[in-house]
Amino acid sequence: MSTCSTVSRGLDEPVAGTAATARTWLLLEQPGPWGAKALTSSHLDPALGRALEAAAKNTGVRIALIRRPGRHADCGTSAERQVYAAHTMPGNVWLRTATTADPRQLLELDFAALGRGDHRTFDAALGGGPHTGDPLALVCTNGKRDRCCALLGRPLAAELAASGAEGVWEVTHLGGHRFSPTLLVLPYGYAYGRAEAHAVKEVLHGAQEGRIVVAGCRGNSAWERPGQAAELAVRTAVGEYGAETLSVVRTDGAAPRWEVTVAHVDGRHWRVVVAHGASLPPRAESCGASVLGTPARMDVVEVRELAVTTALAS
């Protein structure tokens, strides 16, 4: 029986505009097994998981659990855990780090402030500070959500860790099982699909230099999906790969058609027409799906640079 990722790859389903959306990511180390909804079905106290979900709702913050690649025993000790927060909006990108022996400290955070890009609540509650090491490479490995994430994600995470790549973690959920193995790189927030170790190393090297690799990129989590597709289309059209050079400043319209305005830090603007399409033929969107679906796709119809007067008027 074919897996959802095998079918998606065979049909050459486009990956642009499929990243999970989050302006800010909050990551908590949680050893041991993960269930399908890991915040409430792991060795983390489920009551705490529910409280964190409620606190983050509608704030722009997405919470995920992480663990080191390898075996996932949890001996139940109260050892300190790693915590990260990352804001992905260009012009205010940051990555903060801390450790905690009591994950309940996360409830002291002002999630609305985190979603706006204010890291002071993180620093105050957890004693955190800026992360000065390598970018984080988060590989989805949660086989309880989809077996492709385990079958393809775990070997990728293990290979990256064994190669000496720094900042590699397994993560609970990045969406888009059919694009496994999937990867999120922080602090810039760009997600990748059908990732392979050699390509991931180039992505991480680029992130260290403040450069975005477009090949295999699903989009920047800071933007909604039409904006993700539009920004990647502008990068490709003009050969712009600086990590914080482009921003989605306006999105007009609604499905099935949007006009997205993308701005460069140098003052240039582009109008990008994005159409909502359906991936055909019908296929399983995940290995556990009981019915076939036609996954949404973001098709870029036009990329047009705007005159300065037009850009200012918009």
Side-chain angles (χ1 to χ4, degrees):
M1 179 179 176
S2 296
T3 63
C4 65
S5 59
T6 301
V7 172
S8 177
R9 187 186 293 266
L11 294 173
D12 197 25
E13 182 182 351
V15 302
T18 66
T21 55
R23 295 189 301 272
T24 302
W25 291 82
L26 180 63
L27 310 172
L28 170 64
E29 183 178 6
Q30 175 57 59
W34 296 331
K37 295 182 178 180
L39 273 179
T40 54
S41 55
S42 68
H43 288 183
L44 183 71
D45 178 0
L48 173 59
R50 287 190 291 271
L52 289 171
E53 286 181 332
K57 188 176 181 180
N58 299 324
T59 64
V61 177
R62 187 180 179 105
I63 306 173
L65 303 182
I66 57 175
R67 65 191 176 194
R68 294 291 186 184
R71 299 184 64 182
H72 303 132
D74 183 2
C75 58
T77 65
S78 59
E80 286 197 334
R81 308 167 188 222
Q82 196 72 39
V83 185
Y84 294 102
H87 190 63
T88 62
M89 293 290 288
N92 187 31
V93 168
W94 49 256
L95 176 60
R96 317 293 285 190
T97 184
T99 58
T100 182
D102 182 4
R104 288 174 296 182
Q105 284 186 289
L106 273 63
L107 292 177
E108 300 173 16
L109 297 173
D110 181 338
F111 283 85
L114 274 181
R116 293 192 301 268
D118 185 347
H119 57 71
R120 289 175 295 180
T121 179
F122 183 86
D123 298 345
L126 297 168
H131 175 71
T132 57
D134 294 293
L136 300 186
L138 308 174
V139 182
C140 184
T141 64
N142 191 352
K144 293 296 184 181
R145 291 196 69 96
D146 191 281
R147 60 176 175 162
C148 287
C149 298
L151 293 174
L152 300 176
R154 286 179 185 168
L156 173 63
E159 182 177 354
L160 290 171
S163 73
E166 299 292 335
V168 179
W169 294 85
E170 297 185 8
V171 68
T172 47
H173 184 46
L174 297 177
H177 319 297
R178 64 193 184 278
F179 302 123
S180 294
T182 57
L183 173 84
L184 176 71
V185 177
L186 295 175
Y188 298 117
Y190 286 85
Y192 292 82
R194 304 180 186 131
E196 298 180 357
H198 66 90
V200 172
K201 291 175 184 176
E202 172 58 26
V203 168
L204 294 178
H205 180 67
Q208 288 175 321
E209 298 180 339
R211 174 173 50 83
I212 300 305
V213 173
V214 171
C217 191
R218 299 174 62 193
N220 186 335
S221 74
W223 318 125
E224 297 295 329
R225 292 184 175 182
Q228 294 173 12
E231 189 233 35
L232 289 175
V234 171
R235 287 190 179 279
T236 300
V238 303
E240 175 54 72
Y241 305 112
E244 295 189 71
T245 54
L246 296 179
S247 294
V248 174
V249 296
R250 181 167 175 168
T251 300
D252 296 308
R257 187 181 177 90
W258 299 267
E259 290 192 355
V260 181
T261 304
V262 178
H264 195 288
V265 291
D266 66 9
R268 287 179 292 166
H269 287 70
W270 294 265
R271 183 68 46 80
V272 183
V273 179
V274 180
H276 178 284
S279 297
L280 297 172
R283 80 289 303 273
E285 296 187 47
S286 68
C287 290
S290 58
V291 297
L292 301 182
T294 52
R297 53 185 287 168
M298 297 291 119
D299 294 320
V300 173
V301 177
E302 179 186 13
V303 178
R304 176 169 55 90
E305 185 169 357
L306 301 177
V308 174
T309 52
T310 303
L312 292 174
S314 65

Short mmCIF file of all heavy atoms in Angstrom, two decimals, residues 60-109:
data_model
loop_
_atom_site.label_atom_id
_atom_site.label_comp_id
_atom_site.label_asym_id
_atom_site.label_seq_id
_atom_site.Cartn_x
_atom_site.Cartn_y
_atom_site.Cartn_z
N GLY A 60 -1.24 34.02 17.75
CA GLY A 60 -0.14 33.94 16.77
C GLY A 60 1.00 33.07 17.24
O GLY A 60 2.01 32.95 16.53
N VAL A 61 0.86 32.46 18.43
CA VAL A 61 1.89 31.57 18.97
C VAL A 61 1.48 30.13 18.72
O VAL A 61 0.33 29.75 18.99
CB VAL A 61 2.09 31.79 20.48
CG1 VAL A 61 3.12 30.81 21.04
CG2 VAL A 61 2.51 33.22 20.76
N ARG A 62 2.40 29.35 18.23
CA ARG A 62 2.18 27.92 18.03
C ARG A 62 3.13 27.16 18.95
O ARG A 62 4.34 27.42 18.93
CB ARG A 62 2.41 27.54 16.57
CG ARG A 62 2.04 26.08 16.23
CD ARG A 62 2.31 25.82 14.75
NE ARG A 62 2.00 24.46 14.36
CZ ARG A 62 0.93 24.10 13.66
NH1 ARG A 62 0.06 25.01 13.28
NH2 ARG A 62 0.73 22.83 13.33
N ILE A 63 2.58 26.24 19.74
CA ILE A 63 3.37 25.48 20.70
C ILE A 63 3.63 24.08 20.14
O ILE A 63 2.72 23.44 19.59
CB ILE A 63 2.66 25.35 22.06
CG1 ILE A 63 2.27 26.73 22.59
CG2 ILE A 63 3.53 24.62 23.06
CD1 ILE A 63 1.41 26.67 23.84
N ALA A 64 4.86 23.61 20.27
CA ALA A 64 5.21 22.25 19.85
C ALA A 64 6.17 21.65 20.87
O ALA A 64 6.90 22.37 21.55
CB ALA A 64 5.83 22.26 18.46
N LEU A 65 6.15 20.34 20.96
CA LEU A 65 7.10 19.61 21.79
C LEU A 65 8.28 19.17 20.93
O LEU A 65 8.12 18.86 19.75
CB LEU A 65 6.44 18.39 22.44
CG LEU A 65 5.21 18.67 23.30
CD1 LEU A 65 4.70 17.37 23.91
CD2 LEU A 65 5.50 19.69 24.38
N ILE A 66 9.46 19.14 21.54
CA ILE A 66 10.66 18.71 20.84
C ILE A 66 11.39 17.68 21.68
O ILE A 66 11.18 17.57 22.89
CB ILE A 66 11.60 19.90 20.53
CG1 ILE A 66 11.99 20.64 21.82
CG2 ILE A 66 10.98 20.85 19.51
CD1 ILE A 66 13.02 21.75 21.62
N ARG A 67 12.22 16.89 21.03
CA ARG A 67 13.08 15.94 21.74
C ARG A 67 14.32 15.70 20.89
O ARG A 67 14.31 15.92 19.67
CB ARG A 67 12.33 14.64 22.03
CG ARG A 67 11.93 13.86 20.79
CD ARG A 67 10.97 12.72 21.11
NE ARG A 67 10.53 12.07 19.88
CZ ARG A 67 9.50 11.24 19.77
NH1 ARG A 67 8.76 10.96 20.83
NH2 ARG A 67 9.19 10.68 18.61
N ARG A 68 15.37 15.24 21.53
CA ARG A 68 16.59 14.94 20.81
C ARG A 68 16.39 13.73 19.90
O ARG A 68 15.65 12.80 20.26
CB ARG A 68 17.73 14.65 21.79
CG ARG A 68 18.14 15.86 22.62
CD ARG A 68 18.83 16.91 21.79
NE ARG A 68 19.35 18.00 22.62
CZ ARG A 68 19.93 19.09 22.11
NH1 ARG A 68 20.03 19.24 20.79
NH2 ARG A 68 20.40 20.04 22.91
N PRO A 69 17.05 13.69 18.73
CA PRO A 69 16.95 12.50 17.87
C PRO A 69 17.48 11.27 18.58
O PRO A 69 18.40 11.34 19.40
CB PRO A 69 17.83 12.86 16.67
CG PRO A 69 17.87 14.36 16.67
CD PRO A 69 17.83 14.77 18.10
N GLY A 70 16.88 10.13 18.28
CA GLY A 70 17.35 8.88 18.85
C GLY A 70 16.25 8.17 19.61
O GLY A 70 15.06 8.36 19.35
N ARG A 71 16.65 7.33 20.54
CA ARG A 71 15.68 6.59 21.35
C ARG A 71 14.93 7.55 22.27
O ARG A 71 15.47 8.56 22.71
CB ARG A 71 16.39 5.51 22.16
CG ARG A 71 17.10 4.48 21.30
CD ARG A 71 17.70 3.38 22.16
NE ARG A 71 16.66 2.64 22.87
CZ ARG A 71 16.92 1.64 23.71
NH1 ARG A 71 18.17 1.30 23.98
NH2 ARG A 71 15.92 1.01 24.32
N HIS A 72 13.70 7.22 22.58
CA HIS A 72 12.82 8.17 23.24
C HIS A 72 12.37 7.67 24.61
O HIS A 72 11.19 7.79 24.97
CB HIS A 72 11.62 8.48 22.35
CG HIS A 72 12.03 9.00 21.02
ND1 HIS A 72 11.51 8.53 19.85
CD2 HIS A 72 12.96 9.93 20.68
CE1 HIS A 72 12.09 9.15 18.82
NE2 HIS A 72 12.96 10.01 19.30
N ALA A 73 13.30 7.11 25.37
CA ALA A 73 12.96 6.70 26.73
C ALA A 73 12.75 7.94 27.59
O ALA A 73 13.39 8.96 27.41
CB ALA A 73 14.09 5.85 27.30
N ASP A 74 11.82 7.81 28.53
CA ASP A 74 11.57 8.88 29.49
C ASP A 74 11.58 8.26 30.88
O ASP A 74 10.66 7.54 31.26
CB ASP A 74 10.21 9.54 29.21
CG ASP A 74 9.93 10.71 30.15
OD1 ASP A 74 10.80 11.02 30.97
OD2 ASP A 74 8.83 11.28 30.06
N CYS A 75 12.64 8.49 31.60
CA CYS A 75 12.80 7.85 32.90
C CYS A 75 12.05 8.56 34.01
O CYS A 75 12.14 8.18 35.18
CB CYS A 75 14.29 7.74 33.26
SG CYS A 75 15.13 9.34 33.30
N GLY A 76 11.33 9.64 33.68
CA GLY A 76 10.50 10.30 34.66
C GLY A 76 11.25 11.22 35.61
O GLY A 76 10.70 11.63 36.63
N THR A 77 12.47 11.56 35.29
CA THR A 77 13.22 12.45 36.17
C THR A 77 12.76 13.89 35.97
O THR A 77 12.08 14.22 35.01
CB THR A 77 14.73 12.35 35.89
OG1 THR A 77 14.98 12.83 34.56
CG2 THR A 77 15.22 10.92 36.01
N SER A 78 13.16 14.74 36.87
CA SER A 78 12.80 16.15 36.78
C SER A 78 13.94 16.98 36.21
O SER A 78 14.15 18.13 36.59
CB SER A 78 12.42 16.68 38.17
OG SER A 78 13.51 16.51 39.06
N ALA A 79 14.70 16.37 35.32
CA ALA A 79 15.83 17.06 34.72
C ALA A 79 15.35 18.31 33.99
O ALA A 79 14.21 18.40 33.53
CB ALA A 79 16.55 16.14 33.75
N GLU A 80 16.24 19.28 33.90
CA GLU A 80 15.88 20.52 33.20
C GLU A 80 15.62 20.24 31.72
O GLU A 80 16.27 19.41 31.10
CB GLU A 80 16.99 21.55 33.36
CG GLU A 80 17.05 22.15 34.75
CD GLU A 80 17.85 23.44 34.78
OE1 GLU A 80 18.74 23.60 33.91
OE2 GLU A 80 17.58 24.28 35.66
N ARG A 81 14.69 20.98 31.19
CA ARG A 81 14.30 20.84 29.78
C ARG A 81 14.65 22.13 29.04
O ARG A 81 14.59 23.22 29.59
CB ARG A 81 12.80 20.59 29.66
CG ARG A 81 12.28 19.46 30.51
CD ARG A 81 10.78 19.52 30.54
NE ARG A 81 10.22 18.59 31.50
CZ ARG A 81 9.15 17.85 31.25
NH1 ARG A 81 8.54 17.94 30.09
NH2 ARG A 81 8.69 17.05 32.17
N GLN A 82 14.94 21.97 27.77
CA GLN A 82 15.22 23.12 26.92
C GLN A 82 13.91 23.75 26.47
O GLN A 82 12.93 23.05 26.17
CB GLN A 82 16.03 22.69 25.70
CG GLN A 82 16.70 23.82 24.96
CD GLN A 82 17.87 24.39 25.73
OE1 GLN A 82 18.62 23.66 26.35
NE2 GLN A 82 18.02 25.70 25.67
N VAL A 83 13.89 25.06 26.43
CA VAL A 83 12.74 25.80 25.92
C VAL A 83 13.26 26.84 24.93
O VAL A 83 14.27 27.50 25.18
CB VAL A 83 11.97 26.52 27.05
CG1 VAL A 83 10.70 27.18 26.50
CG2 VAL A 83 11.63 25.56 28.17
N TYR A 84 12.56 26.98 23.81
CA TYR A 84 12.90 27.99 22.82
C TYR A 84 11.65 28.81 22.49
O TYR A 84 10.53 28.29 22.50
CB TYR A 84 13.40 27.37 21.52
CG TYR A 84 14.70 26.62 21.60
CD1 TYR A 84 14.71 25.23 21.65
CD2 TYR A 84 15.92 27.30 21.58
CE1 TYR A 84 15.90 24.53 21.70
CE2 TYR A 84 17.12 26.61 21.63
CZ TYR A 84 17.11 25.23 21.69
OH TYR A 84 18.30 24.53 21.75
N ALA A 85 11.87 30.06 22.16
CA ALA A 85 10.83 30.89 21.55
C ALA A 85 11.46 31.58 20.36
O ALA A 85 12.61 32.05 20.44
CB ALA A 85 10.28 31.91 22.53
N ALA A 86 10.74 31.62 19.25
CA ALA A 86 11.26 32.25 18.03
C ALA A 86 10.17 33.07 17.37
O ALA A 86 9.04 32.59 17.21
CB ALA A 86 11.79 31.20 17.06
N HIS A 87 10.50 34.29 17.00
CA HIS A 87 9.58 35.16 16.28
C HIS A 87 10.09 35.27 14.85
O HIS A 87 11.28 35.49 14.61
CB HIS A 87 9.51 36.54 16.92
CG HIS A 87 8.43 37.40 16.37
ND1 HIS A 87 7.10 37.09 16.48
CD2 HIS A 87 8.48 38.59 15.69
CE1 HIS A 87 6.38 38.04 15.91
NE2 HIS A 87 7.19 38.95 15.42
N THR A 88 9.17 35.12 13.87
CA THR A 88 9.57 34.93 12.48
C THR A 88 9.26 36.10 11.56
O THR A 88 9.52 36.01 10.36
CB THR A 88 8.90 33.66 11.92
OG1 THR A 88 7.47 33.83 11.95
CG2 THR A 88 9.27 32.44 12.74
N MET A 89 8.72 37.20 12.10
CA MET A 89 8.36 38.32 11.23
C MET A 89 9.61 39.08 10.79
O MET A 89 10.39 39.54 11.64
CB MET A 89 7.42 39.28 11.96
CG MET A 89 6.06 38.68 12.26
SD MET A 89 5.06 38.44 10.78
CE MET A 89 4.64 40.13 10.40
N PRO A 90 9.83 39.24 9.48
CA PRO A 90 11.02 39.97 9.01
C PRO A 90 11.09 41.36 9.63
O PRO A 90 10.08 42.06 9.78
CB PRO A 90 10.80 40.04 7.50
CG PRO A 90 9.96 38.84 7.19
CD PRO A 90 9.04 38.69 8.37
N GLY A 91 12.29 41.75 10.00
CA GLY A 91 12.51 43.02 10.67
C GLY A 91 12.52 42.90 12.17
O GLY A 91 12.99 43.81 12.87
N ASN A 92 12.01 41.79 12.69
CA ASN A 92 12.01 41.55 14.14
C ASN A 92 12.19 40.06 14.41
O ASN A 92 11.50 39.48 15.26
CB ASN A 92 10.72 42.06 14.78
CG ASN A 92 10.76 41.98 16.30
OD1 ASN A 92 11.81 42.10 16.92
ND2 ASN A 92 9.61 41.75 16.92
N VAL A 93 13.08 39.42 13.67
CA VAL A 93 13.33 37.99 13.85
C VAL A 93 14.24 37.79 15.05
O VAL A 93 15.26 38.46 15.20
CB VAL A 93 13.99 37.39 12.58
CG1 VAL A 93 14.52 35.99 12.86
CG2 VAL A 93 12.99 37.37 11.44
N TRP A 94 13.83 36.88 15.94
CA TRP A 94 14.69 36.55 17.08
C TRP A 94 14.46 35.12 17.53
O TRP A 94 13.41 34.52 17.25
CB TRP A 94 14.50 37.52 18.25
CG TRP A 94 13.10 37.81 18.69
CD1 TRP A 94 12.38 38.95 18.43
CD2 TRP A 94 12.23 36.97 19.50
NE1 TRP A 94 11.14 38.88 19.01
CE2 TRP A 94 11.02 37.70 19.69
CE3 TRP A 94 12.37 35.73 20.08
CZ2 TRP A 94 9.94 37.17 20.42
CZ3 TRP A 94 11.30 35.20 20.82
CH2 TRP A 94 10.12 35.93 20.98
N LEU A 95 15.45 34.59 18.23
CA LEU A 95 15.38 33.26 18.81
C LEU A 95 15.94 33.35 20.22
O LEU A 95 17.07 33.77 20.41
CB LEU A 95 16.20 32.27 17.97
CG LEU A 95 16.32 30.83 18.49
CD1 LEU A 95 14.95 30.18 18.63
CD2 LEU A 95 17.19 30.01 17.53
N ARG A 96 15.10 32.99 21.20
CA ARG A 96 15.49 33.03 22.61
C ARG A 96 15.53 31.61 23.16
O ARG A 96 14.81 30.73 22.67
CB ARG A 96 14.52 33.87 23.44
CG ARG A 96 14.09 35.17 22.82
CD ARG A 96 15.21 36.18 22.70
NE ARG A 96 15.56 36.79 23.98
CZ ARG A 96 16.37 37.83 24.09
NH1 ARG A 96 16.92 38.37 22.98
NH2 ARG A 96 16.66 38.35 25.27
N THR A 97 16.33 31.41 24.19
CA THR A 97 16.46 30.08 24.76
C THR A 97 16.51 30.16 26.28
O THR A 97 16.92 31.18 26.85
CB THR A 97 17.74 29.39 24.23
OG1 THR A 97 17.80 28.06 24.75
CG2 THR A 97 19.00 30.14 24.64
N ALA A 98 16.06 29.09 26.92
CA ALA A 98 16.08 29.00 28.38
C ALA A 98 15.98 27.52 28.74
O ALA A 98 15.76 26.66 27.88
CB ALA A 98 14.92 29.77 28.99
N THR A 99 16.15 27.22 30.02
CA THR A 99 15.90 25.88 30.53
C THR A 99 14.94 26.00 31.71
O THR A 99 14.88 27.03 32.38
CB THR A 99 17.19 25.18 31.00
OG1 THR A 99 17.82 25.98 32.01
CG2 THR A 99 18.15 24.99 29.82
N THR A 100 14.20 24.91 31.94
CA THR A 100 13.28 24.90 33.07
C THR A 100 13.16 23.48 33.61
O THR A 100 13.18 22.51 32.84
CB THR A 100 11.88 25.43 32.68
OG1 THR A 100 11.05 25.44 33.83
CG2 THR A 100 11.24 24.57 31.61
N ALA A 101 13.04 23.36 34.91
CA ALA A 101 12.73 22.08 35.55
C ALA A 101 11.24 21.95 35.81
O ALA A 101 10.77 20.89 36.23
CB ALA A 101 13.52 21.94 36.85
N ASP A 102 10.49 23.01 35.55
CA ASP A 102 9.05 23.02 35.81
C ASP A 102 8.34 23.64 34.62
O ASP A 102 8.23 24.87 34.52
CB ASP A 102 8.75 23.81 37.08
CG ASP A 102 7.25 23.81 37.42
OD1 ASP A 102 6.49 23.12 36.71
OD2 ASP A 102 6.87 24.49 38.39
N PRO A 103 7.82 22.83 33.69
CA PRO A 103 7.16 23.38 32.50
C PRO A 103 5.98 24.28 32.80
O PRO A 103 5.55 25.05 31.94
CB PRO A 103 6.71 22.13 31.74
CG PRO A 103 7.59 21.04 32.24
CD PRO A 103 7.87 21.37 33.68
N ARG A 104 5.45 24.21 34.04
CA ARG A 104 4.33 25.10 34.39
C ARG A 104 4.73 26.56 34.35
O ARG A 104 3.87 27.45 34.29
CB ARG A 104 3.80 24.73 35.77
CG ARG A 104 3.02 23.40 35.80
CD ARG A 104 2.64 23.00 37.20
NE ARG A 104 3.82 22.73 38.02
CZ ARG A 104 3.78 22.33 39.28
NH1 ARG A 104 2.60 22.17 39.87
NH2 ARG A 104 4.89 22.11 39.96
N GLN A 105 6.03 26.83 34.34
CA GLN A 105 6.49 28.22 34.20
C GLN A 105 6.01 28.85 32.90
O GLN A 105 5.88 30.08 32.82
CB GLN A 105 8.02 28.27 34.26
CG GLN A 105 8.63 28.11 35.63
CD GLN A 105 10.13 28.32 35.58
OE1 GLN A 105 10.87 27.50 35.06
NE2 GLN A 105 10.58 29.45 36.11
N LEU A 106 5.76 28.03 31.89
CA LEU A 106 5.32 28.58 30.61
C LEU A 106 3.97 29.29 30.72
O LEU A 106 3.64 30.16 29.91
CB LEU A 106 5.25 27.48 29.54
CG LEU A 106 6.54 27.21 28.77
CD1 LEU A 106 7.64 26.70 29.69
CD2 LEU A 106 6.31 26.22 27.64
N LEU A 107 3.18 28.93 31.74
CA LEU A 107 1.89 29.60 31.92
C LEU A 107 2.05 31.03 32.40
O LEU A 107 1.09 31.80 32.39
CB LEU A 107 1.03 28.80 32.90
CG LEU A 107 0.56 27.43 32.41
CD1 LEU A 107 -0.21 26.72 33.51
CD2 LEU A 107 -0.30 27.57 31.16
N GLU A 108 3.25 31.40 32.84
CA GLU A 108 3.51 32.78 33.26
C GLU A 108 3.75 33.71 32.07
O GLU A 108 3.82 34.92 32.24
CB GLU A 108 4.72 32.82 34.18
CG GLU A 108 4.57 31.99 35.46
CD GLU A 108 5.85 31.94 36.27
OE1 GLU A 108 6.75 32.77 36.02
OE2 GLU A 108 5.97 31.06 37.14
N LEU A 109 3.87 33.15 30.88
CA LEU A 109 4.16 33.95 29.69
C LEU A 109 2.95 34.77 29.27
O LEU A 109 1.81 34.33 29.41
CB LEU A 109 4.59 33.04 28.53
CG LEU A 109 5.86 32.22 28.73
CD1 LEU A 109 6.05 31.25 27.58
CD2 LEU A 109 7.08 33.15 28.84
#
